[in-house]
Amino acid sequence: MGNFDLLTVKGVTRRDFMKLVAATTAALGLPELFIPQAASALEQALKKPPVIWLEGMDCTGCTESAIATLNPSAAALIIDMLSIRYHETIMAGSGQSCEEAYQAALKEDFVLIVEGACPAKEDRYCMVGGKPFRKTLIEAAQKAQVIIAIGSCASEGAGIPGACATGAVGVAEILRNEGINKPVINLPCCPVKPTTLIGTLVYYLTYHKAPPLDSQNRPVAFYGTLLHDNCPRRGHFESGEFLTDWNDPVQKGYCLMLKGCKGPQTYTDCAQVWWNDNANFCINAGSPCAGCSEKSFYKEFSPLYVKQELFKLPGIGQVNADTVGAVIGGAAAIGLGAHLIATAASGRLSNKDHDHDHKEDM
Amino acid sequence: MAKVVIDPLTRIEGHLRIEVEVENGLVVEAHVIGTMYRGIEAMLRGRDPRDATYVTERVCGVCAGSHGWASSMALDKAFGANVPAGGRIIRNLIIGAMFLHDHPLHFYHLSALDYLDVMAVAQYQGKDPGLLAVKDKIVKLVVAGDTAPLTPRYKPDAFSVNDPELVTMAVAHYLKALEMQAKAKKMSALFAGKQPHQSSIVVGGVTMLPNIEVVEQFRSMLMEQLDFVEKTYLQDVLTFGTGPLLPLAQAGVGGGALNYMSYGGFARDNENKDLFFKAGLIMDGNLGNILPIDENKITEDVQYSWYKASANGKTPYTEDTVPDLDKQGAYTFVKAPRYDAKPIEVGPLARMLVMQPKGLMDIIAKNSIKPGAVARHAARAYETLLLVKDMFTWCDALEKEMGSKDFRVHDTDHWEAPVSGQGAGMTEVPRGSLGHFIKVADHKIENYQMVVPTTWNFSPRDDKGVRGPVEQALIGVPVPDLDNPVNIVRVVRSYDPCLACAIHLIHPVTNDIKKFQIGW
């Protein structure tokens, strides 16, 4: 039996399979020429891997986002592509039968997907199946062939729960605390973007290794570019045109920096790959980027609708390179800071800026 | 007496544990237990009030948009903002689309597996090519020995539907509904930026200034949703509810507290008078007497919740929230909201009983359906149809507004936080009545509290020991096989629980309590 026959037996038609491959190569930003190669590699590799999908201190938004995919379809994702053995929101079973399904999957060579943060100190803030979620997470992580943390809560910084008083942290930090030296692929954003998750899964299943990752262990393919550099509103930024009134048709499309946009500190492909089947993304809807793909989200990016910190960061003459580097991602920060300061110093920004902090920062 | 524990109770939002005691095949005691706490309200204190819409939006990713919406309403009041008609309608369209996402998803993906013997698909003998494809898919999964996530499951019981034709159709619609929920989120995202977790709704209105093309794209997708809701979703619910599940429906399994509340929601005017969902309260099952709601009668008890009890007499604006994990006698992170000291059911059944649309009331009367799990599914499907139809008029109203010279979506004059202020945002979201309460001092959030639908429905006992609505609904539920408590999950899921939402808190104000009576 050939490998594709194996897939056919598992309920995947050739047509569905090629659609899946085409859509996912597109999601990965690979040229069409790659499709036959990916198809071939996938046929070799894709045997519907068993998946344990854990939910900790979460809102189910990442699951909801994953099944918001239209191309490939949600059914292709949860039935054709993966064998989802444990997922509290999707699985048929409840209670004891869940525990049995989980224990059975633990014995296989499974992919671990984690959604939600985990309390680092007080286990009682998140109990599932009568057990501390933290212990289940550690147990599954030690046995998984690969660990994928999805959404800001499970990634570095732990997103919104990370700003709360429960001591919530992401998956990698829980493992570090336990001295477990196992890499975690982080796919932050609030919630995870479906193209990012599916693209990462296809890459991993094709090559049996993680895609190239950055310093926060995010795949460079999806987190390698600065939002600000690809923003459709960048031209208005360059022209010093900043939105102050959402009602003004003239300002529609103006730069959202004065509304608190974190685009200059945020590495994400949101400007190129929009959400919900390419329907929209925050900035196109007139909303400032909240920086949800960064570990500084939400704690250090608050307040969200005030622009000040964008200009405090570079602060020529008082810059602490380590701090800047930690916050905005290494070498790129220097270029970014210089750019913003040059723009501000040339007066283009200050013409429309009424924030008092501004001049001090220049 | 035997104890049955279901943990995790799956196919819901969040982490839920159910403990029941069974005697002679019937539930005689029940505890519903929320097992996760994040503490988002406490974290908001001291922050820029405008952050609240963005942060509370993320309380839940299933009823996405709901909390951002209620939060913006609370902030509008605290800021003194007057949301222009354009902003109001766009907010309604964003959330309306999410109802179209939530309700069918709840029926097909979260609930249907409790009623279907999915493996009956293998016996399908018909000729419909679409259904044969479904059969082919399921059979191949079985042959490959890999039927996750459809198995493991509770064993089909006397109420399970096992007619191959019906089951195959339902599985086909399960797959179709997966596509439709993604499309509904896409519709919402057209105005909202993305879904889940929209960013467009802010204090004063929305950030998205739409053009006609976007509205028309929304409208054309709405037509596809109408077709699906009318011809597939509602028909399936009625086919099951008045067919194989009629005995369950007529027995009123999972009836619960016969007190119902709807805050009202989806204003069709700027004065908040013409509401799509009507506001009202029903006590003791008296459908002939729809009472007005007095928000001052909403209180919460914490005797059985893992929180420190603060002084009595505080309002949601002034209370605080401190977890107490070692508290004696407490068993859940969910608090016990009460209205006039009584447990109240909120959600689609409550809304429809307050509204009493003739079509639905006729179906209920004709089939002698009692309030319970099946009635909840029927009410949920029926209100989806009413809503999707009404949404076309919202699109019309938006386009009319867009034609006027001073079309606006945001109250720019009230964007900055006031020195002080307070406000409540009370509305109806897919799972029921949602209230957000904010108090602003020195331009910052002094206090923030949410009272959410699942807190009402999944509350523990109150200070007088009276069970919450779901705890009450579980009493008397038949569990003939202790290893297969499928009726329990049917009842629990019929409320569409959202535990991530529920674990948010207001603090206790103890009123005199009246004896809880059941009657219909």
Side-chain angles (χ1 to χ4, degrees):
Chain A
M1 191 186 279
N3 277 301
F4 185 74
D5 295 336
L6 226 159
L7 270 178
T8 312
V9 164
K10 297 195 175 195
V12 183
T13 66
R14 163 64 69 172
R15 190 167 151 270
D16 286 348
F17 178 72
M18 289 310 292
K19 273 170 68 181
L20 176 71
V21 172
T24 44
T25 45
L28 279 164
L30 298 167
E32 275 182 42
L33 282 173
F34 183 78
I35 292 176
Q37 190 190 332
S40 161
L42 259 183
E43 276 187 45
Q44 296 296 320
L46 185 59
K47 293 176 187 166
K48 283 184 60 168
V51 172
I52 294 178
W53 185 313
L54 297 178
E55 292 177 75
M57 301 165 94
D58 74 323
C59 72
T60 316
C62 289
T63 293
E64 278 281 359
S65 186
I67 63 165
T69 179
L70 278 160
N71 197 5
S73 70
L77 175 67
I78 65 172
I79 297 175
D80 297 344
M81 185 176 169
L82 306 173
S83 176
I84 298 181
R85 303 295 174 81
Y86 186 92
H87 187 316
E88 286 168 41
T89 314
I90 291 174
M91 67 194 303
S94 269
Q96 185 57 29
S97 69
C98 293
E99 178 63 20
E100 287 160 13
Y102 167 73
Q103 291 296 341
L106 271 187
K107 297 193 178 85
E108 297 194 48
D109 193 21
F110 65 95
V111 171
L112 176 64
I113 297 177
V114 185
E115 170 176 3
C118 181
K121 297 191 183 82
E122 175 50 80
D123 285 342
R124 287 177 291 178
Y125 283 130
C126 190
M127 302 283 289
V128 182
K131 294 182 293 187
F133 171 72
R134 189 179 62 85
K135 291 193 173 161
T136 304
L137 173 63
I138 291 165
E139 174 185 55
Q142 281 176 316
K143 294 182 178 171
Q145 60 167 296
V146 63
I147 307 163
I148 303 176
I150 61 171
S152 310
C153 300
S155 301
E156 299 287 354
I160 303 244
C164 297
T166 55
V169 300
V171 177
E173 191 164 334
I174 290 288
L175 300 188
R176 284 196 295 270
N177 290 349
E178 292 292 308
I180 299 167
N181 184 21
K182 202 163 172 178
V184 175
I185 302 174
N186 288 317
L187 305 180
C189 272
C190 188
V192 69
K193 196 187 279 185
T195 47
T196 303
L197 172 60
I198 294 167
T200 302
L201 281 168
V202 167
Y203 188 101
Y204 176 78
L205 296 174
T206 305
Y207 297 111
H208 286 287
K209 61 176 185 185
L213 303 174
D214 70 4
S215 60
Q216 291 180 40
N217 274 1
R218 303 173 297 185
V220 175
F222 312 111
Y223 301 90
T225 57
L226 192 65
L227 176 55
H228 184 62
D229 286 344
N230 294 287
C231 184
R233 302 187 177 207
R234 178 61 179 263
H236 292 290
F237 172 83
E238 297 292 341
S239 306
E241 293 169 341
F242 300 95
L243 185 144
T244 54
D245 182 354
W246 278 295
N247 300 302
D248 182 359
V250 175
Q251 295 186 35
K252 186 178 176 177
Y254 277 14
C255 177
L256 293 164
M257 201 139 297
L258 301 185
K259 295 295 183 188
C261 189
K262 308 294 184 286
Q265 297 169 66
T266 302
Y267 288 82
T268 166
D269 63 358
C270 285
Q272 302 100 307
V273 183
W274 290 12
W275 292 74
N276 298 91
D277 195 36
N278 280 315
N280 212 343
F281 85 112
C282 300
I283 287 175
N284 187 63
S287 308
C289 169
C292 70
S293 65
E294 297 299 318
K295 68 179 173 188
S296 304
F297 171 80
Y298 155 79
K299 202 172 179 178
E300 290 153 44
F301 280 167
S302 170
L304 295 176
Y305 297 98
V306 177
K307 67 137 202 58
Q308 83 285 6
E309 75 271 30
L310 295 178
F311 305 99
K312 276 178 180 161
L313 261 178
I316 277 183
Q318 335 160 21
V319 89
N320 176 330
D322 291 342
T323 307
V324 174
V327 175
I328 56 180
I334 297 162
L336 163 67
H339 170 75
L340 280 178
I341 285 157
T343 308
S346 72
R348 285 183 290 174
L349 201 50
S350 54
N351 285 342
K352 297 191 177 170
D353 178 11
H354 305 292
D355 191 305
H356 302 302
D357 293 342
H358 176 64
K359 280 183 186 154
E360 296 163 15
D361 297 331
M362 289 189 349
Chain B
M1 193 139 59
K3 188 171 176 183
V4 176
V5 177
I6 305 175
D7 182 7
L9 195 136
T10 55
R11 278 182 283 122
I12 61 159
E13 198 302 317
H15 301 294
L16 177 64
R17 174 183 177 96
I18 300 285
E19 296 180 358
V20 299
E21 285 166 25
V22 179
E23 200 168 72
N24 300 323
L26 298 174
V27 173
V28 295
E29 191 52 285
H31 290 84
V32 305
I33 301 163
T35 60
M36 188 270 279
Y37 169 80
R38 286 171 296 180
I40 288 176
E41 289 119 321
M43 181 270 273
L44 281 170
R45 288 185 168 198
R47 295 189 187 270
D48 185 326
R50 293 171 296 187
D51 280 15
T53 53
Y54 187 94
V55 170
T56 61
E57 165 70 33
R58 282 152 174 78
V59 164
C60 177
V62 179
C63 57
S66 300
H67 288 284
W69 191 38
S71 178
S72 71
M73 291 173 177
L75 265 68
D76 292 341
K77 288 189 184 138
F79 280 48
N82 298 302
V83 178
R88 169 180 54 78
I89 299 167
I90 292 169
R91 284 179 179 179
N92 288 354
L93 289 171
I94 287 171
I95 306 301
M98 291 309 291
F99 271 71
L100 306 182
H101 155 273
D102 276 57
H103 285 2
L105 178 127
H106 174 256
F107 179 68
Y108 289 104
H109 308 117
L110 303 183
S111 297
L113 294 172
D114 295 337
Y115 298 94
L116 297 175
D117 179 0
V118 173
M119 296 308 151
V121 170
Q123 310 304 319
Y124 176 71
Q125 300 299 328
K127 298 269 188 288
D128 183 282
L131 298 189
L132 283 170
V134 170
K135 176 184 174 179
D136 192 46
K137 195 176 199 77
I138 300 292
V139 167
K140 280 176 174 162
L141 291 173
V142 175
V143 169
D146 186 358
T147 44
L150 301 173
T151 60
R153 54 177 181 159
Y154 285 131
K155 287 190 298 250
D157 71 349
F159 292 115
S160 295
V161 181
N162 52 19
D163 176 75
E165 190 97 17
L166 267 183
V167 174
T168 311
M169 181 194 74
V171 174
H173 293 166
Y174 176 104
L175 297 172
K176 177 66 183 171
L178 259 182
E179 177 192 331
M180 294 308 294
Q181 60 81 28
K183 285 182 171 171
K185 276 182 275 206
K186 180 175 178 176
M187 285 170 72
S188 187
L190 289 172
F191 295 114
K194 66 181 168 62
Q195 282 293 13
H197 297 333
Q198 56 83 30
S199 54
S200 183
I201 297 175
V202 294
V203 58
V206 296
T207 65
M208 177 81 182
L209 189 65
N211 56 30
I212 291 292
E213 288 78 3
V214 168
V215 184
E216 284 308 300
Q217 189 184 354
F218 186 94
R219 189 196 294 273
S220 77
M221 295 182 77
L222 192 59
M223 291 168 84
E224 191 185 357
Q225 293 287 341
L226 170 63
D227 191 65
F228 174 73
V229 169
E230 192 166 33
K231 295 180 183 148
T232 304
Y233 172 38
L234 182 59
Q235 286 313 312
D236 280 352
V237 172
L238 295 180
T239 301
F240 284 94
T242 63
L245 303 181
L246 191 58
L248 208 57
Q250 290 177 335
V253 170
L258 298 176
N259 307 318
Y260 303 98
M261 181 172 70
S262 164
Y263 291 157
F266 291 121
R268 291 179 289 204
D269 61 2
N270 275 10
E271 289 71 48
N272 214 35
K273 293 218 169 80
D274 178 17
L275 301 175
F276 167 72
F277 283 131
K278 308 303 173 210
L281 183 77
I282 295 167
M283 298 305 272
D284 303 318
N286 187 352
L287 298 187
N289 186 20
I290 310 292
L291 304 162
I293 297 169
D294 174 0
E295 80 175 72
N296 296 318
K297 290 188 176 175
I298 296 170
T299 62
E300 278 198 318
D301 289 349
V302 292
Q303 183 165 338
Y304 295 95
S305 314
W306 287 308
Y307 303 109
K308 288 195 161 82
S310 62
N312 288 341
K314 287 185 175 175
T315 71
Y317 297 116
T318 56
E319 68 206 55
D320 66 359
T321 294
V322 185
D324 180 357
L325 295 168
D326 301 314
K327 184 167 161 182
Q328 284 294 315
Y331 62 88
T332 179
F333 280 119
V334 183
K335 291 187 161 192
R338 295 294 184 261
Y339 182 92
D340 205 10
K342 290 201 172 191
I344 305 280
E345 172 171 347
V346 298
L349 179 61
R351 284 193 285 260
M352 290 298 99
L353 291 178
V354 166
M355 214 162 148
Q356 300 183 14
K358 187 171 182 308
L360 179 65
M361 300 314 279
D362 286 352
I363 292 166
I364 288 174
K366 187 179 153 211
N367 294 285
S368 308
I369 292 171
K370 288 201 179 129
V374 175
R376 271 179 213 107
H377 287 291
R380 192 173 285 113
Y382 201 85
E383 77 168 17
T384 314
L385 180 65
L386 295 180
L387 181 78
V388 69
K389 285 182 172 170
D390 212 53
M391 285 173 69
F392 286 96
T393 69
W394 307 356
C395 293
D396 296 341
L398 178 58
E399 289 187 339
K400 188 163 168 247
E401 287 293 331
M402 290 167 73
S404 76
K405 254 199 330 236
D406 58 345
F407 172 62
R408 290 164 68 243
V409 296
H410 188 255
D411 179 0
T412 311
D413 294 339
H414 293 92
W415 172 242
E416 299 296 332
V419 177
S420 66
Q422 68 176 45
M426 298 170 76
T427 187
E428 287 294 315
V429 297
R431 286 161 186 79
S433 308
L434 173 62
H436 278 224
F437 303 84
I438 188 170
K439 191 166 184 196
V440 177
D442 195 18
H443 307 283
K444 305 281 187 216
I445 297 174
E446 184 179 74
N447 201 8
Y448 201 97
Q449 300 294 338
M450 307 172 230
V451 186
V452 318
T454 301
T455 316
W456 284 102
N457 290 336
F458 284 74
S459 77
R461 282 143 177 75
D462 55 33
D463 287 1
K464 304 280 181 179
V466 177
R467 296 182 192 97
V470 173
E471 292 182 333
Q472 186 58 43
L474 285 169
I475 304 300
V477 168
V479 184
D481 177 359
L482 289 177
D483 293 329
N484 204 43
V486 61
N487 281 329
I488 291 173
V489 297
R490 283 171 176 154
V491 170
V492 170
R493 289 199 183 102
S494 73
Y495 287 87
D496 196 1
C498 179
L499 269 294
C501 289
I503 296 168
H504 291 99
L505 359 136
I506 69 172
H507 249 261
V509 185
T510 306
N511 290 351
D512 289 333
I513 196 157
K514 291 169 191 161
K515 191 164 183 289
F516 179 58
Q517 295 171 337
I518 295 185
W520 177 261

